[in-house]
Amino acid sequence: RKEVEQDPGPFNVPEGATVAFNCTYSNSASQSFFWYRQDCRKEPKLLMSVYSSGNEDGRFTAQLNRASQYISLLIRDSKLSDSATYLCVAHRGQAGTALIFGKGTTLSVSS
Amino acid sequence: DTAVSQTPKYLVTQMGNDKSIKCEQNLGHDTMYWYKQDSKKFLKIMFSYNNKELIINETVPNRFSPKSPDKAHLNLHINSLELGDSAVYFCASSQGRGNQPQHFGDGTRLSIL
């Protein structure tokens, strides 16, 4: 089982739609979580960190459920420019260890 | 100003050759990383250095040798290139040992002929 698992999609939605991505992680010691965005043939870019209490940044809301080892990203009022691959990321929880990336969920927003 | 820059952006070479990729960051971070993203788009950690000390080596073949002359630079040298080395290699940096967000360079696309 991979340490971070995501539904690869693709998710095809119209502009204005609300879309939710889910992610699970297997290492219960993981402490820090992030969502990154990667456009085609570009580098991953940090979208937002994920906090236990949940956090919102404009149209984006991230949630963390430690009991279920589950992370989610909700995008409201989708824009064409939201089309990208969204990477769920967990830190293994030990000093000196790496961030573990999921394989990504592809979103395509159409007009 | 580019925060994490890597050179070259594209590298096309023959099997068996030796090549290097360079990375520099101007963010003042103390930790740098090399990742490999293969054709299936899976992004996997290879190495990490914290203040010039190797802290992560994820069972990468010893044909790959990272070198960090100072905390702002992390280079990757690859000996005897193989077809399976074709991928995009990303450099990244962060402050602290891994649990902080990482900032990525724009990648080096390595193609082995």
Side-chain angles (χ1 to χ4, degrees), chain B residues 3-100:
Chain B
V4 182
S5 59
Q6 17 181 148
T7 53
K9 190 164 184 174
Y10 298 95
L11 189 50
V12 180
T13 189
Q14 303 233 336
M15 255 191 342
N17 284 351
D18 303 338
K19 290 293 178 186
S20 293
I21 308 172
K22 297 190 175 192
C23 180
E24 175 182 4
Q25 54 94 4
N26 63 7
L27 296 166
H29 289 162
D30 61 3
T31 307
M32 296 184 72
Y33 310 82
W34 278 112
Y35 287 86
K36 179 180 179 181
Q37 189 168 44
D38 57 27
S39 57
K40 295 181 180 176
K41 308 299 181 190
F42 192 47
L43 192 64
K44 191 167 180 193
I45 184 73
M46 298 174 69
F47 300 104
S48 172
Y49 273 75
N50 173 258
N51 283 318
K52 302 195 298 175
E53 176 193 353
L54 178 67
I55 57 172
I56 297 172
N57 182 341
E58 289 278 316
T59 59
V60 177
N62 58 15
R63 296 183 297 104
F64 291 79
S65 51
K67 280 193 169 54
S68 181
D70 56 60
K71 69 176 188 177
H73 295 84
L74 179 61
N75 304 323
L76 183 65
H77 187 76
I78 316 171
N79 288 326
S80 303
L81 281 156
E82 300 178 356
L83 287 175
D85 298 333
S86 294
V88 183
Y89 292 83
F90 287 104
C91 176
S93 73
S94 70
Q95 186 57 35
R97 285 186 159 210
N99 61 345
Q100 298 299 315

Side-chain angles (χ1 to χ4, degrees), chain A residues 12-32:
Chain A
N12 298 305
V13 303
E15 272 186 293
T18 295
V19 61
F21 303 141
N22 302 320
C23 166
T24 57
Y25 61 96
S26 61
N27 187 343
S28 58
S30 294
Q31 294 293 319
S32 303

